[in-house]
Amino acid sequence: MSNAEFVGLVNMLHATAEAALGDLNAATASAARDGLLLEGRARQTAERSLKLLTMLSEKTRGNLDFTEADLLSQAIGSLRERLNALGGH
């Protein structure tokens, strides 16, 4: 059975990155209020979330159930795609 706190952490990091990249959802208002959407910081925020999710994947390898591993893998994959599509770094 999936750990609710783990799922929440993955979803929070993913939502923060998506909000920084301009997705309109509840996380966007919070990210904007916290200054994460200012020019130059949005990509940095998304990249930081991706790095944290990647580290989490490496540190938990072999210790996740299928649902947790799939959620983490999908979050990492979608953020990599978004950042690659933006180009740059």
Side-chain angles (χ1 to χ4, degrees), residues 30-44:
S30 174
R33 182 190 67 238
D34 294 340
L36 300 177
L37 302 184
L38 299 176
E39 189 173 335
R41 293 215 39 215
R43 184 181 182 96
Q44 180 183 21

Side-chain angles (χ1 to χ4, degrees), residues 70-84:
D70 189 50
L71 175 69
L72 188 52
S73 177
Q74 286 185 28
I76 291 168
S78 75
L79 290 178
R80 280 188 179 142
E81 280 184 35
R82 295 277 311 268
L83 287 167
N84 286 339

Side-chain angles (χ1 to χ4, degrees), residues 2-16 53 56 67-68 71-72 75:
S2 298
N3 181 296
E5 287 81 11
F6 181 84
V7 170
L9 175 62
V10 171
N11 285 332
M12 180 203 56
L13 290 169
H14 191 199
T16 298
L53 288 166
L56 192 59
T67 302
E68 294 165 339
L71 175 69
L72 188 52

